[in-house]
Amino acid sequence: MKSQSNLEPEFVERPTRNQHWKDECGVFGLWNDKEASHLTYLGLYALQHRGQESTGIVSLTEKEGAPHHVHHKAMGLVADAYKEKDLERLRGRAAIGHVRYSTTGSNLLTNAQPLTARVKNRPVALAHNGNIVNAAMIRQELSDEGSIFQGTNDTEVLLHLLARSPESDIIEALKRSVSRLEGAFSFVFLDDRQMVAIRDPWGFRPLVLGKRLNAEGGYSTIVASETCAFDLIGATFVREIEPGEIFWIDKDGEHSIRFADKNHKLARCVFEHVYFARPDSIVFGGSVYETRKNLGRALAHENKVSADLVVPVPDSGVPAAIGYSQESGIPFELGIIRNHYVGRTFIEPKQAIRSFGVKIKLNPQAAVLQGKRVIVIDDSLVRGTTSKKIVQLIRQAGAKEVHIRIAAPPTMGPCFYGVDTPNKSELIAANKSVQEICNFVEADSLGYLSFEGLFKSVKGERGSFCAACFDQKYPTPLYD
Ligand code: AMP
């Protein structure tokens, strides 16, 4: 997956995973609108970049006078997963939804979220973004005591903890249950009485609260992974769900309690700003677009090279390339054009076409690149495969020199908190020096951003971020 606006996987093979429950996900929930499921569908549409493999919506309605959950889950993109009749069926004034990316697991639809169950004799639905690092441990313990798990995902442990919790009050039961979890979790939960939002004490993944005027002149309460989901449905941002907070809304209004100390150390994922979040979102209080431009500016400041053009790898490298161009005074050009309409698979002709797999998505413009010294900007370099192919394409288009600049430090370690990264053995920077990587991608030069440059560009204290993918300082013990 290269692009934020583009929804299909990268032309290079996706990294292989060492755990089958490592997800990239987006969550959304809305309370108090007669079109709750339609608005949730739109919210998920805006969050599609966070996961493209499966999606689901659960709404709260009534059946024979009793509260009742209706759900629809499907593999694939939001645009394909729901038909008008599905949304009509998802009646009710409250709904939660999920988009998920995960490649393995025998029955992928079983793992699709929101997960649904009957707990304490009521319907519950749960959507999760993040990765719980002691899930396998808890799962083993619960299985030993007789719990039967439906899927292979980490999220299900919360439903089991909830079912076993001695508290009859669901918020108290949630409080006890989430206190046992370690790692990254931004949850949206719906039962027959309330919608609940919970964020882990480290604040790894974003989770924001918004409101929207509904058709009856009242207000809907909304939670979402990113603010771009609010923009699409005309909602306004209110605040972040705080790390360590349980927020809920029911017929009596909004409530909030904490399950972790307000002074708990933060570990907000810096990679949300580098690559994962949409550039039009405000994440952890800062504009992703501005941050990425700052990353590009800092890169230009630290890593000068004499050249004729600054060219982004579309689309994820665009804001950083703008920043690099502005800081260096070297003109910005779209030297590579992306085809946004490429599907997941394509049928190759029998007779091989040079670099076909790359060119179907990215086409270098010879008219722009011919005879030029080019600086190519990308947001990150993981295995080096993308950069290598791009260098080849740009040279084939007639560029005289190709200099790769990466608007982040070298990716050194896998993420255990919900971003899909390959094993360490596949991370090129964990195994080769910068010069060796440069040789591998066959560029004239290669430069990364420093840690100082990274943290100067992101709003907030350096110590309040998790940058484990770059510095391998994992904030939690990695139990599993
Ligand atoms: P690679 O070819 O493995 O070096 O991948 C680097 C490219 O993948 C960069 O252009 C990034 O925009 C993109 N990328 C980085 N991290 C991820 C991720 N977690 N999921 C999908 N794509 C990513």
Side-chain angles (χ1 to χ4, degrees):
M1 179 174 67
K2 154 87 8 261
S3 142
Q4 298 299 300
S5 60
N6 181 287
L7 308 175
E8 69 279 14
E10 178 49 51
F11 54 79
V12 295
E13 320 74 59
R14 288 297 298 240
T16 48
R17 292 154 180 247
N18 54 357
Q19 289 186 339
H20 49 242
W21 49 61
K22 208 150 87 183
D23 299 334
E24 290 173 339
C25 299
V27 295
F28 186 92
L30 187 141
W31 181 269
N32 194 29
D33 193 295
K34 62 181 187 214
E35 287 200 290
S37 65
H38 275 82
L39 292 165
T40 300
Y41 160 80
L42 290 176
L44 295 180
Y45 222 107
L47 297 173
Q48 185 78 84
H49 61 288
R50 297 187 72 88
Q52 298 94 48
E53 196 151 288
S54 67
T55 176
I57 296 178
V58 173
S59 72
L60 170 60
T61 178
E62 283 199 345
K63 193 177 175 185
E64 291 156 8
H68 176 67
H69 275 181
V70 186
H71 66 87
H72 178 84
K73 293 191 223 177
M75 302 306 295
L77 302 178
V78 174
D80 305 322
Y82 304 92
K83 303 277 174 284
E84 184 68 42
K85 66 173 174 30
D86 301 319
L87 298 180
E88 293 301 334
R89 205 172 55 80
L90 289 161
R91 283 176 299 114
R93 298 189 63 86
I96 67 169
H98 191 260
V99 285
R100 176 170 194 259
Y101 175 82
S102 178
T103 49
T104 55
S106 51
N107 184 348
L108 291 165
L109 200 55
T110 311
N111 287 325
Q113 297 190 22
L115 299 181
T116 51
R118 276 196 84 78
V119 173
K120 299 191 188 296
N121 207 24
R122 56 170 66 178
V124 302
L126 179 65
H128 173 207
N129 173 209
N131 187 52
I132 299 164
V133 295
N134 61 345
M137 221 167 78
I138 298 175
R139 205 183 163 93
Q140 186 62 52
E141 179 191 311
L142 297 179
S143 299
D144 290 348
E145 290 168 12
S147 289
I148 298 168
F149 284 81
Q150 301 277 320
T152 52
N153 63 78
D154 58 330
T155 311
E156 206 182 335
V157 294
L158 178 58
L159 292 180
H160 284 269
L161 290 172
L162 206 54
R164 286 162 165 258
S165 154
E167 287 85 2
S168 55
D169 178 76
I170 205 85
I171 299 295
E172 286 303 315
L174 277 168
K175 184 177 174 186
R176 175 191 288 266
S177 304
V178 294
S179 303
R180 280 215 56 197
L181 305 179
E182 271 286 3
F185 50 88
S186 284
F187 288 124
V188 182
F189 172 94
L190 182 70
D191 68 7
D192 56 347
R193 289 182 207 159
Q194 56 239 319
M195 178 177 83
V196 187
I198 307 173
R199 193 161 164 220
D200 68 70
W202 303 93
F204 280 107
R205 301 275 145 240
L207 192 61
V208 283
L209 181 67
K211 67 175 180 187
R212 179 178 183 275
L213 197 59
N214 64 25
E216 295 115 343
Y219 278 98
S220 317
T221 297
I222 307 153
V223 281
S225 291
E226 290 182 39
T227 59
C228 63
F230 296 161
D231 299 338
L232 180 61
I233 60 167
T236 48
F237 168 78
V238 175
R239 65 175 177 87
E240 289 190 44
I241 299 295
E242 285 179 22
E245 178 182 7
I246 300 179
F247 167 91
W248 74 102
I249 176 147
D250 58 18
K251 64 176 178 24
D252 301 321
E254 296 181 353
H255 319 267
S256 170
I257 55 169
R258 299 196 57 85
F259 65 97
D261 196 86
K262 218 178 165 73
N263 299 320
H264 192 287
K265 191 170 166 4
L266 294 178
R268 303 171 301 171
C269 169
V270 80
F271 200 65
E272 292 274 353
H273 270 288
V274 169
Y275 169 80
F276 198 31
R278 241 171 72 158
D280 49 343
S281 284
I282 309 292
V283 167
F284 310 138
S287 151
V288 175
Y289 181 74
E290 279 308 318
T291 303
R292 289 187 190 161
K293 276 201 341 191
N294 290 343
L295 293 168
R297 282 194 195 102
L299 186 62
H301 190 70
E302 289 179 0
N303 228 311
K304 288 203 183 62
V305 51
S306 158
D308 305 308
L309 300 177
V310 174
V311 168
V313 178
D315 294 320
S316 54
V318 172
I322 293 172
Y324 194 103
S325 167
Q326 288 176 351
E327 180 70 22
S328 64
I330 302 170
F332 172 96
E333 290 288 355
L334 292 175
I336 308 169
I337 301 298
R338 183 181 184 89
N339 179 348
H340 286 107
Y341 305 98
V342 181
R344 278 175 179 252
T345 54
F346 36 79
I347 301 157
E348 278 205 54
K350 292 218 169 55
Q351 205 182 345
I353 296 175
R354 195 158 58 142
S355 303
F356 178 81
V358 194
K359 279 198 274 191
I360 200 161
K361 290 195 180 171
L362 299 176
N363 192 23
Q365 296 206 71
V368 173
L369 301 167
Q370 183 71 46
K372 296 290 196 303
R373 297 168 303 159
V374 181
I375 305 173
V376 178
I377 308 285
D378 206 353
D379 63 276
S380 57
L381 194 150
V382 182
R383 289 175 301 170
T385 338
T386 309
S387 297
K388 190 180 177 78
K389 290 181 178 173
I390 281 167
V391 171
Q392 279 168 6
L393 282 184
I394 290 184
R395 288 207 200 278
Q396 283 163 17
K400 205 159 72 185
E401 292 173 18
V402 188
H403 303 274
I404 299 280
R405 292 294 177 272
I406 304 296
T411 304
M412 301 295 282
C415 176
F416 297 101
Y417 306 114
V419 171
D420 168 39
T421 33
N423 302 331
K424 198 163 173 169
S425 61
E426 292 176 71
L427 296 173
I428 194 165
N431 300 290
K432 289 188 195 297
S433 69
V434 174
Q435 188 53 51
E436 285 169 338
I437 302 170
C438 183
N439 297 344
F440 173 79
V441 301
E442 295 171 4
D444 291 288
S445 74
L446 168 69
Y448 287 94
L449 185 64
S450 70
F451 277 89
E452 288 62 39
L454 171 67
F455 289 108
K456 203 173 71 187
S457 308
V458 183
K459 195 176 160 195
E461 294 287 308
R462 178 172 180 160
S464 71
F465 286 98
C466 172
C469 51
F470 302 126
D471 63 13
Q472 300 184 83
K473 291 183 185 151
Y474 296 95
T476 69
L478 300 171
Y479 298 96
D480 293 346

